[in-house]
Amino acid sequence: MVCVTSLTRRAEMFVPAERDPRTLGPATGGERALLVDFLAAQRATLELKCAGLDTRLSQRSVAPSTLSLLGLVRHLADVERRWFRQVLAGRDAPPRFSSPPDPDGDFTGAVPDPDVVSRAWEAWREEIAFAEAFVADAPRLDVEGHDSWRGAVSLRWVLIHMIEEYARHNGHADLLRERIDGAIGV
């Protein structure tokens, strides 16, 4: 038997439904508007899952995993940077948090230091701002970039991939947040 009270509580833990920015976007319309809105909702979900934690964002899931909410923020800043700056815009923009000698630096460097937390959020927001400007300025969704792994990729493919990337990691964020302080919600 399903308990409706617990389901309602879970759905409304982070923000009341009537004020949830993730549900205010279009449900009909053009492909670009829908893709951009879905990605914005996934980005907002990550931010909601991390809200109010400060340095507790670095709390690890379960040993030996290095997974943490702060690690996810750092990882997704690097992912945003890779697909929008490097691949689509063709810029020389190395990752901010990982590197060839430390490929997991986005997670291993996620330590409980206020400066580390602040820099992670700043980087994430800068990369999103770049991505949003790139998408807004792109004349069409068929704009292509070159990825060393996949070859030619379109803006359309990158937007869909980013929605998938955030959705997967937001599932991790659900479990991490609940482990930190018991907070649950969509």
Side-chain angles (χ1 to χ4, degrees), residues 10-102:
R10 179 173 295 276
E12 294 181 354
M13 180 59 74
F14 284 98
V15 62
E18 66 275 3
R19 289 186 306 149
D20 190 339
R22 299 166 300 168
T23 62
L24 301 177
T28 61
E31 181 181 19
R32 183 188 299 242
L34 291 172
L35 289 171
V36 165
D37 184 64
F38 267 84
L39 181 53
Q42 290 296 321
R43 289 169 173 155
T45 297
L46 178 66
E47 201 161 12
L48 284 170
K49 297 294 177 183
C50 296
L53 290 179
D54 300 321
T55 59
R56 288 189 300 164
L57 285 171
S58 65
Q59 187 172 324
R60 307 287 188 216
S61 60
V62 185
S65 175
T66 59
L67 193 62
S68 68
L69 288 168
L70 180 57
L72 290 176
V73 172
R74 291 162 52 97
H75 172 71
L76 288 164
D78 275 354
V79 170
E80 295 267 3
R81 186 173 182 87
R82 179 184 188 307
W83 289 109
F84 291 101
R85 282 192 201 263
Q86 291 176 344
V87 173
L88 289 173
R91 295 201 179 160
D92 181 19
R96 291 174 178 250
F97 302 109
S98 59
S99 65
D102 189 9

Side-chain angles (χ1 to χ4, degrees), residues 110-131:
V111 296
D113 176 319
D115 289 336
V116 172
V117 173
S118 177
R119 282 193 305 271
W121 282 118
E122 182 179 320
W124 183 71
R125 287 186 178 99
E126 284 175 7
E127 295 308 326
I128 288 172
F130 179 89

Side-chain angles (χ1 to χ4, degrees), residues 26 35 77-78 135 150 157 181:
L35 289 171
D78 275 354
V135 173
R150 301 222 19 127
W157 184 90
D181 65 1

Side-chain angles (χ1 to χ4, degrees), residues 142-172:
D142 292 339
V143 167
E144 291 184 358
H146 180 77
D147 177 48
S148 59
W149 168 56
R150 301 222 19 127
V153 295
S154 68
L155 172 57
R156 176 183 292 104
W157 184 90
V158 169
L159 289 169
I160 292 168
H161 173 67
M162 292 300 296
I163 293 165
E164 176 270 336
E165 182 85 11
Y166 272 94
R168 181 167 42 108
H169 290 312
N170 282 335
H172 299 134

